[in-house]
Structure formats: structure tokens, C-alpha cells
Amino acid sequence: MSPEDFLKEVQAIGEKFLHKLQKLPKADPVEIASFSVVLLFIATVLVLTIIACSCCCYSCCGCDGRPDPSHKRSRVRPSTD
């Protein structure tokens, strides 16, 4: 997929989303609830992704951004039997 196609697809999704938001005040309660559930799901995924990435970065690097020497990987050597 070329970057132009990707941008067109994102723009089309954005326009559909905007159109859906504009129709939302006149929508049925069921449609409002389902739309809210979808938005809640998207927000939850984004928040959990941010938390996972920040925890991963925090465990690899300290607060100052430098790698923590206690988390170095050790090399496994073959036994000399």
C-alpha cells in the first residue's frame, strides 16, 4: 500500500467518523450506547498500549534514560564435558 493510498484511507475513515459524530445527537439510544462502547474499547487499547510501552522502557532504562546495568543479558556458554 502506497503512502497516498494509506492517507486516502485514513481520510475516508476520519470523514465517516465525523459524519457519525454529527448524526449522533439524533440517533437511537442503542446506537449511542454501541458507539460509546466502541470508543471506550479504542481508548482502553490505547491506554494499555501506552502503559505497556512505558513499563517496558522503564524496566530497560532508568528514569534518566540510560540502560540499567543490572538488566544486562548474560551469554550462555556450552558446557565443557
Side-chain angles (χ1 to χ4, degrees):
M1 177 181 266
S2 69
E4 293 84 18
D5 292 338
F6 179 73
L7 288 176
K8 287 179 184 177
E9 188 71 27
V10 169
Q11 184 179 7
I13 291 171
E15 288 174 359
K16 288 179 186 177
F17 183 73
L18 183 61
H19 183 67
K20 190 74 151 172
L21 280 176
Q22 289 172 347
K23 290 183 359 180
L24 200 57
K26 297 178 252 175
D28 295 335
V30 174
E31 191 174 355
I32 293 172
S34 63
F35 190 72
S36 299
V37 168
V38 169
L39 286 180
L40 183 65
F41 175 76
I42 292 170
T44 303
V45 168
L46 289 175
V47 167
L48 289 176
T49 303
I50 291 169
I51 290 171
C53 289
S54 65
C55 289
C56 179
C57 291
Y58 183 74
S59 67
C60 290
C61 304
C63 293
D64 56 359
R66 291 182 293 193
D68 188 4
S70 65
H71 285 99
K72 287 185 179 178
R73 294 184 182 189
S74 60
R75 293 189 177 217
V76 178
R77 296 181 184 173
S79 61
T80 56
D81 289 332

